[in-house]
Amino acid sequence: MNIKNSNLIVLVSSTLLVVGFIISIINTMVLVSPTKHIEGSWKEISWEYEKSENINADKKISDAIKTEICKELIIHEAEVWNFSSNGNLELTSDINNEMLSWTMKGRGNILELSHNTNKIEHYNIQVLNNDQMVLYFSTDIQAKGIVKMTFERIKEDKYAQKI
Amino acid sequence: MLRKFSNSRTLKDNIQLGSLSAFSAGMVNVTSLIIFFAFTSNVTGHYAILAEEISKGNWYQASVVFAWIFLFFIGNFVSNIIIINFNKNNSYLAHSAPLIIEIICLLAVGYYGHFYYRETLSETEIMVGTMLFAMGIQNGLTASISNFSVKTTHLTGLTTDVGILTAMFTKKKYRQNKQLRSKFNVLLAIAASYLAGGIVAGVIYYEAKFLVFFAVSAVIGFIILYEYYKLKVTKFIRIKRTSKLRKSILETT
């Protein structure tokens, strides 16, 4: 490879890197950030084991085990999660309502929930789009494993009707 | 530790520089992992994450990760631009300046985090980017002035080298090779310091939160000041020797 060619390669790759950086910065300003994406109401659809130490275990988590797992968590048993832009998270169920605080960490892949008792929990956001949200967290209850929580977005008009 | 360049460096220089800078890198990485859930002293994982986010079509996250990688690259670029352009005039200054920039970045993160951080995602992204830039500066400096034998944040390469050397040491002729033994010592010192830095930072963080960044800055500041002290001492000894020599010449004549 002659000097002219290698100079050209250096020039092109440097330009591409800088252009890529500029596009990245513009993207972060223009595209919807995960914090905006999560705002709104989400309905719990299912709880199942994504990974479990027990190979033969049924992946579906029964209501009894779910109750047991929730005792250890600040999310308790809720059916609807309502994320507000001010950082509040309202958990609603038939029995009671609970207010938590939420924020995101990493590149928007970690959901941090905190209770006024200063208890903090972290959930891994695996999927977050207009219709669906999937959260992962580790549990030691019964069979140690990773729990997968699937949510469906409640469209604003439906949620207003329900309220 | 900082003044000598490339092949003129001794094993002691490399162990000192490698240990102290790896200690600070370990501190930064563990702290950022605890606070921000993101690595800041190694980018191998970020390349994998970038590919994953692109394949998922998460363009926002992909852009953030690309910007982080770019900032690490720019950190390396900046430190080497300084070294290349100022090394001939004043090697101590050329090698200290990148560390001063690194300290400024880390102090900014510590100060902002301690007084203003509201735990928003954008703040997290900017602070992680700042730390990656700082780590890029440090890695670029140590790798460059040690002729690529000290890479304080590159533990994948380090572990690979340790594995290769351990395999080589099963043969007597390699065990007797002083150069290989020296390299092995440098690598072990870096790995141990990185781990120790991480543990210390973890302990400090649970007590002092963001103030841990002030502790990291103090470690890097120590590198600069130690070198400055040695520079002064060497200069003092040289002046003393010269005057003694001059005196003896005058006496004989």
Side-chain angles (χ1 to χ4, degrees), chain B residues 118-144:
Chain B
R118 289 174 295 117
E119 300 207 28
T120 63
L121 186 61
S122 48
E123 285 174 309
T124 300
E125 288 159 358
I126 292 167
M127 286 204 265
V128 169
T130 309
M131 281 189 278
L132 273 159
F133 174 72
M135 287 295 103
I137 282 184
Q138 181 180 298
N139 212 28
L141 172 81
T142 53
S144 182

PDB file of all heavy atoms in Angstrom, chain B residues 118-144:
ATOM      1  N   ARG B 118     -29.179  14.848  39.793  1.00  0.00           N
ATOM      2  CA  ARG B 118     -30.595  14.554  40.083  1.00  0.00           C
ATOM      3  C   ARG B 118     -30.981  13.163  39.586  1.00  0.00           C
ATOM      4  O   ARG B 118     -32.140  12.841  39.476  1.00  0.00           O
ATOM      5  CB  ARG B 118     -31.484  15.627  39.428  1.00  0.00           C
ATOM      6  CG  ARG B 118     -31.382  16.992  40.117  1.00  0.00           C
ATOM      7  CD  ARG B 118     -32.139  18.053  39.380  1.00  0.00           C
ATOM      8  NE  ARG B 118     -31.563  18.295  38.058  1.00  0.00           N
ATOM      9  CZ  ARG B 118     -32.211  18.089  36.914  1.00  0.00           C
ATOM     10  NH1 ARG B 118     -33.444  17.643  36.913  1.00  0.00           N
ATOM     11  NH2 ARG B 118     -31.626  18.329  35.752  1.00  0.00           N
ATOM     12  N   GLU B 119     -29.989  12.382  39.234  1.00  0.00           N
ATOM     13  CA  GLU B 119     -30.174  10.997  38.788  1.00  0.00           C
ATOM     14  C   GLU B 119     -31.004  10.874  37.514  1.00  0.00           C
ATOM     15  O   GLU B 119     -31.776   9.936  37.357  1.00  0.00           O
ATOM     16  CB  GLU B 119     -30.798  10.141  39.900  1.00  0.00           C
ATOM     17  CG  GLU B 119     -29.945  10.084  41.136  1.00  0.00           C
ATOM     18  CD  GLU B 119     -30.154   8.816  41.943  1.00  0.00           C
ATOM     19  OE1 GLU B 119     -30.519   7.789  41.360  1.00  0.00           O
ATOM     20  OE2 GLU B 119     -29.948   8.887  43.154  1.00  0.00           O
ATOM     21  N   THR B 120     -30.858  11.844  36.599  1.00  0.00           N
ATOM     22  CA  THR B 120     -31.547  11.703  35.320  1.00  0.00           C
ATOM     23  C   THR B 120     -30.647  10.926  34.359  1.00  0.00           C
ATOM     24  O   THR B 120     -29.424  10.873  34.550  1.00  0.00           O
ATOM     25  CB  THR B 120     -31.888  13.075  34.695  1.00  0.00           C
ATOM     26  OG1 THR B 120     -30.663  13.752  34.425  1.00  0.00           O
ATOM     27  CG2 THR B 120     -32.758  13.911  35.624  1.00  0.00           C
ATOM     28  N   LEU B 121     -31.280  10.385  33.325  1.00  0.00           N
ATOM     29  CA  LEU B 121     -30.524   9.564  32.370  1.00  0.00           C
ATOM     30  C   LEU B 121     -29.504  10.395  31.588  1.00  0.00           C
ATOM     31  O   LEU B 121     -28.383   9.955  31.360  1.00  0.00           O
ATOM     32  CB  LEU B 121     -31.496   8.852  31.420  1.00  0.00           C
ATOM     33  CG  LEU B 121     -30.870   7.855  30.456  1.00  0.00           C
ATOM     34  CD1 LEU B 121     -30.169   6.732  31.179  1.00  0.00           C
ATOM     35  CD2 LEU B 121     -31.931   7.283  29.515  1.00  0.00           C
ATOM     36  N   SER B 122     -29.910  11.624  31.204  1.00  0.00           N
ATOM     37  CA  SER B 122     -28.983  12.446  30.414  1.00  0.00           C
ATOM     38  C   SER B 122     -27.739  12.813  31.225  1.00  0.00           C
ATOM     39  O   SER B 122     -26.624  12.845  30.687  1.00  0.00           O
ATOM     40  CB  SER B 122     -29.677  13.696  29.874  1.00  0.00           C
ATOM     41  OG  SER B 122     -30.383  14.324  30.901  1.00  0.00           O
ATOM     42  N   GLU B 123     -27.927  13.085  32.516  1.00  0.00           N
ATOM     43  CA  GLU B 123     -26.764  13.379  33.372  1.00  0.00           C
ATOM     44  C   GLU B 123     -25.840  12.155  33.425  1.00  0.00           C
ATOM     45  O   GLU B 123     -24.611  12.283  33.335  1.00  0.00           O
ATOM     46  CB  GLU B 123     -27.214  13.695  34.796  1.00  0.00           C
ATOM     47  CG  GLU B 123     -27.825  15.072  34.969  1.00  0.00           C
ATOM     48  CD  GLU B 123     -28.385  15.244  36.371  1.00  0.00           C
ATOM     49  OE1 GLU B 123     -29.157  14.374  36.815  1.00  0.00           O
ATOM     50  OE2 GLU B 123     -28.043  16.229  37.025  1.00  0.00           O
ATOM     51  N   THR B 124     -26.475  10.985  33.584  1.00  0.00           N
ATOM     52  CA  THR B 124     -25.704   9.736  33.635  1.00  0.00           C
ATOM     53  C   THR B 124     -24.887   9.562  32.358  1.00  0.00           C
ATOM     54  O   THR B 124     -23.686   9.277  32.415  1.00  0.00           O
ATOM     55  CB  THR B 124     -26.661   8.534  33.804  1.00  0.00           C
ATOM     56  OG1 THR B 124     -27.374   8.701  35.015  1.00  0.00           O
ATOM     57  CG2 THR B 124     -25.925   7.213  33.829  1.00  0.00           C
ATOM     58  N   GLU B 125     -25.534   9.777  31.220  1.00  0.00           N
ATOM     59  CA  GLU B 125     -24.855   9.592  29.925  1.00  0.00           C
ATOM     60  C   GLU B 125     -23.666  10.533  29.782  1.00  0.00           C
ATOM     61  O   GLU B 125     -22.586  10.132  29.333  1.00  0.00           O
ATOM     62  CB  GLU B 125     -25.847   9.826  28.782  1.00  0.00           C
ATOM     63  CG  GLU B 125     -26.856   8.698  28.639  1.00  0.00           C
ATOM     64  CD  GLU B 125     -28.116   9.103  27.885  1.00  0.00           C
ATOM     65  OE1 GLU B 125     -28.247  10.284  27.493  1.00  0.00           O
ATOM     66  OE2 GLU B 125     -28.984   8.246  27.704  1.00  0.00           O
ATOM     67  N   ILE B 126     -23.845  11.797  30.188  1.00  0.00           N
ATOM     68  CA  ILE B 126     -22.765  12.789  30.059  1.00  0.00           C
ATOM     69  C   ILE B 126     -21.612  12.453  31.012  1.00  0.00           C
ATOM     70  O   ILE B 126     -20.439  12.503  30.636  1.00  0.00           O
ATOM     71  CB  ILE B 126     -23.308  14.220  30.302  1.00  0.00           C
ATOM     72  CG1 ILE B 126     -24.245  14.603  29.157  1.00  0.00           C
ATOM     73  CG2 ILE B 126     -22.164  15.237  30.429  1.00  0.00           C
ATOM     74  CD1 ILE B 126     -25.074  15.834  29.393  1.00  0.00           C
ATOM     75  N   MET B 127     -21.952  12.065  32.241  1.00  0.00           N
ATOM     76  CA  MET B 127     -20.884  11.775  33.214  1.00  0.00           C
ATOM     77  C   MET B 127     -20.099  10.516  32.830  1.00  0.00           C
ATOM     78  O   MET B 127     -18.876  10.472  33.000  1.00  0.00           O
ATOM     79  CB  MET B 127     -21.473  11.671  34.620  1.00  0.00           C
ATOM     80  CG  MET B 127     -21.842  13.044  35.156  1.00  0.00           C
ATOM     81  SD  MET B 127     -21.871  13.117  36.932  1.00  0.00           S
ATOM     82  CE  MET B 127     -23.567  12.833  37.234  1.00  0.00           C
ATOM     83  N   VAL B 128     -20.802   9.513  32.312  1.00  0.00           N
ATOM     84  CA  VAL B 128     -20.107   8.300  31.852  1.00  0.00           C
ATOM     85  C   VAL B 128     -19.180   8.666  30.681  1.00  0.00           C
ATOM     86  O   VAL B 128     -18.027   8.220  30.623  1.00  0.00           O
ATOM     87  CB  VAL B 128     -21.121   7.198  31.441  1.00  0.00           C
ATOM     88  CG1 VAL B 128     -20.427   6.056  30.709  1.00  0.00           C
ATOM     89  CG2 VAL B 128     -21.842   6.643  32.668  1.00  0.00           C
ATOM     90  N   GLY B 129     -19.668   9.517  29.777  1.00  0.00           N
ATOM     91  CA  GLY B 129     -18.857   9.976  28.644  1.00  0.00           C
ATOM     92  C   GLY B 129     -17.610  10.711  29.117  1.00  0.00           C
ATOM     93  O   GLY B 129     -16.508  10.485  28.592  1.00  0.00           O
ATOM     94  N   THR B 130     -17.778  11.569  30.125  1.00  0.00           N
ATOM     95  CA  THR B 130     -16.638  12.327  30.663  1.00  0.00           C
ATOM     96  C   THR B 130     -15.594  11.375  31.252  1.00  0.00           C
ATOM     97  O   THR B 130     -14.387  11.543  31.055  1.00  0.00           O
ATOM     98  CB  THR B 130     -17.122  13.303  31.767  1.00  0.00           C
ATOM     99  OG1 THR B 130     -18.214  14.049  31.259  1.00  0.00           O
ATOM    100  CG2 THR B 130     -16.020  14.261  32.203  1.00  0.00           C
ATOM    101  N   MET B 131     -16.076  10.354  31.964  1.00  0.00           N
ATOM    102  CA  MET B 131     -15.140   9.397  32.574  1.00  0.00           C
ATOM    103  C   MET B 131     -14.433   8.553  31.513  1.00  0.00           C
ATOM    104  O   MET B 131     -13.252   8.231  31.657  1.00  0.00           O
ATOM    105  CB  MET B 131     -15.878   8.512  33.568  1.00  0.00           C
ATOM    106  CG  MET B 131     -16.112   9.231  34.880  1.00  0.00           C
ATOM    107  SD  MET B 131     -16.725   8.120  36.111  1.00  0.00           S
ATOM    108  CE  MET B 131     -18.421   8.085  35.708  1.00  0.00           C
ATOM    109  N   LEU B 132     -15.162   8.197  30.448  1.00  0.00           N
ATOM    110  CA  LEU B 132     -14.529   7.431  29.365  1.00  0.00           C
ATOM    111  C   LEU B 132     -13.451   8.264  28.684  1.00  0.00           C
ATOM    112  O   LEU B 132     -12.388   7.757  28.325  1.00  0.00           O
ATOM    113  CB  LEU B 132     -15.583   6.970  28.351  1.00  0.00           C
ATOM    114  CG  LEU B 132     -16.240   5.646  28.718  1.00  0.00           C
ATOM    115  CD1 LEU B 132     -17.573   5.488  28.023  1.00  0.00           C
ATOM    116  CD2 LEU B 132     -15.349   4.462  28.356  1.00  0.00           C
ATOM    117  N   PHE B 133     -13.717   9.560  28.531  1.00  0.00           N
ATOM    118  CA  PHE B 133     -12.724  10.480  27.957  1.00  0.00           C
ATOM    119  C   PHE B 133     -11.479  10.513  28.855  1.00  0.00           C
ATOM    120  O   PHE B 133     -10.345  10.403  28.371  1.00  0.00           O
ATOM    121  CB  PHE B 133     -13.343  11.877  27.814  1.00  0.00           C
ATOM    122  CG  PHE B 133     -12.383  12.939  27.380  1.00  0.00           C
ATOM    123  CD1 PHE B 133     -11.911  12.973  26.077  1.00  0.00           C
ATOM    124  CD2 PHE B 133     -11.948  13.910  28.270  1.00  0.00           C
ATOM    125  CE1 PHE B 133     -11.010  13.952  25.678  1.00  0.00           C
ATOM    126  CE2 PHE B 133     -11.056  14.893  27.875  1.00  0.00           C
ATOM    127  CZ  PHE B 133     -10.592  14.912  26.575  1.00  0.00           C
ATOM    128  N   ALA B 134     -11.724  10.628  30.168  1.00  0.00           N
ATOM    129  CA  ALA B 134     -10.618  10.677  31.136  1.00  0.00           C
ATOM    130  C   ALA B 134      -9.797   9.383  31.101  1.00  0.00           C
ATOM    131  O   ALA B 134      -8.562   9.411  31.110  1.00  0.00           O
ATOM    132  CB  ALA B 134     -11.165  10.912  32.541  1.00  0.00           C
ATOM    133  N   MET B 135     -10.477   8.259  31.025  1.00  0.00           N
ATOM    134  CA  MET B 135      -9.781   6.968  30.982  1.00  0.00           C
ATOM    135  C   MET B 135      -9.027   6.783  29.667  1.00  0.00           C
ATOM    136  O   MET B 135      -7.966   6.178  29.618  1.00  0.00           O
ATOM    137  CB  MET B 135     -10.771   5.818  31.191  1.00  0.00           C
ATOM    138  CG  MET B 135     -11.281   5.688  32.605  1.00  0.00           C
ATOM    139  SD  MET B 135      -9.981   5.264  33.778  1.00  0.00           S
ATOM    140  CE  MET B 135      -9.694   6.820  34.563  1.00  0.00           C
ATOM    141  N   GLY B 136      -9.591   7.327  28.590  1.00  0.00           N
ATOM    142  CA  GLY B 136      -8.917   7.296  27.288  1.00  0.00           C
ATOM    143  C   GLY B 136      -7.611   8.072  27.365  1.00  0.00           C
ATOM    144  O   GLY B 136      -6.566   7.612  26.877  1.00  0.00           O
ATOM    145  N   ILE B 137      -7.665   9.241  28.005  1.00  0.00           N
ATOM    146  CA  ILE B 137      -6.461  10.067  28.178  1.00  0.00           C
ATOM    147  C   ILE B 137      -5.399   9.274  28.937  1.00  0.00           C
ATOM    148  O   ILE B 137      -4.240   9.203  28.511  1.00  0.00           O
ATOM    149  CB  ILE B 137      -6.822  11.370  28.943  1.00  0.00           C
ATOM    150  CG1 ILE B 137      -7.488  12.341  27.988  1.00  0.00           C
ATOM    151  CG2 ILE B 137      -5.588  11.987  29.598  1.00  0.00           C
ATOM    152  CD1 ILE B 137      -7.797  13.682  28.570  1.00  0.00           C
ATOM    153  N   GLN B 138      -5.811   8.655  30.037  1.00  0.00           N
ATOM    154  CA  GLN B 138      -4.849   7.917  30.870  1.00  0.00           C
ATOM    155  C   GLN B 138      -4.251   6.727  30.122  1.00  0.00           C
ATOM    156  O   GLN B 138      -3.044   6.507  30.131  1.00  0.00           O
ATOM    157  CB  GLN B 138      -5.541   7.433  32.143  1.00  0.00           C
ATOM    158  CG  GLN B 138      -4.586   6.694  33.055  1.00  0.00           C
ATOM    159  CD  GLN B 138      -5.247   6.201  34.312  1.00  0.00           C
ATOM    160  OE1 GLN B 138      -5.739   6.975  35.100  1.00  0.00           O
ATOM    161  NE2 GLN B 138      -5.275   4.892  34.494  1.00  0.00           N
ATOM    162  N   ASN B 139      -5.115   5.970  29.457  1.00  0.00           N
ATOM    163  CA  ASN B 139      -4.650   4.783  28.748  1.00  0.00           C
ATOM    164  C   ASN B 139      -3.702   5.162  27.608  1.00  0.00           C
ATOM    165  O   ASN B 139      -2.673   4.516  27.402  1.00  0.00           O
ATOM    166  CB  ASN B 139      -5.851   3.996  28.205  1.00  0.00           C
ATOM    167  CG  ASN B 139      -5.580   2.523  28.173  1.00  0.00           C
ATOM    168  OD1 ASN B 139      -4.803   2.013  28.965  1.00  0.00           O
ATOM    169  ND2 ASN B 139      -6.208   1.823  27.250  1.00  0.00           N
ATOM    170  N   GLY B 140      -4.067   6.233  26.889  1.00  0.00           N
ATOM    171  CA  GLY B 140      -3.240   6.705  25.781  1.00  0.00           C
ATOM    172  C   GLY B 140      -1.870   7.136  26.264  1.00  0.00           C
ATOM    173  O   GLY B 140      -0.853   6.839  25.634  1.00  0.00           O
ATOM    174  N   LEU B 141      -1.844   7.818  27.403  1.00  0.00           N
ATOM    175  CA  LEU B 141      -0.578   8.304  27.955  1.00  0.00           C
ATOM    176  C   LEU B 141       0.316   7.149  28.393  1.00  0.00           C
ATOM    177  O   LEU B 141       1.467   7.052  27.971  1.00  0.00           O
ATOM    178  CB  LEU B 141      -0.853   9.227  29.152  1.00  0.00           C
ATOM    179  CG  LEU B 141       0.384   9.644  29.944  1.00  0.00           C
ATOM    180  CD1 LEU B 141       1.102  10.784  29.258  1.00  0.00           C
ATOM    181  CD2 LEU B 141       0.032  10.037  31.360  1.00  0.00           C
ATOM    182  N   THR B 142      -0.241   6.259  29.230  1.00  0.00           N
ATOM    183  CA  THR B 142       0.588   5.176  29.778  1.00  0.00           C
ATOM    184  C   THR B 142       1.081   4.244  28.668  1.00  0.00           C
ATOM    185  O   THR B 142       2.235   3.833  28.673  1.00  0.00           O
ATOM    186  CB  THR B 142      -0.178   4.365  30.837  1.00  0.00           C
ATOM    187  OG1 THR B 142      -1.409   3.928  30.280  1.00  0.00           O
ATOM    188  CG2 THR B 142      -0.442   5.176  32.083  1.00  0.00           C
ATOM    189  N   ALA B 143       0.203   3.934  27.718  1.00  0.00           N
ATOM    190  CA  ALA B 143       0.603   3.032  26.628  1.00  0.00           C
ATOM    191  C   ALA B 143       1.694   3.674  25.780  1.00  0.00           C
ATOM    192  O   ALA B 143       2.683   3.033  25.419  1.00  0.00           O
ATOM    193  CB  ALA B 143      -0.602   2.689  25.768  1.00  0.00           C
ATOM    194  N   SER B 144       1.524   4.968  25.500  1.00  0.00           N
ATOM    195  CA  SER B 144       2.454   5.656  24.623  1.00  0.00           C
ATOM    196  C   SER B 144       3.841   5.818  25.249  1.00  0.00           C
ATOM    197  O   SER B 144       4.848   5.502  24.618  1.00  0.00           O
ATOM    198  CB  SER B 144       1.864   7.027  24.275  1.00  0.00           C
ATOM    199  OG  SER B 144       2.702   7.698  23.417  1.00  0.00           O
TER     200      SER B 144
END
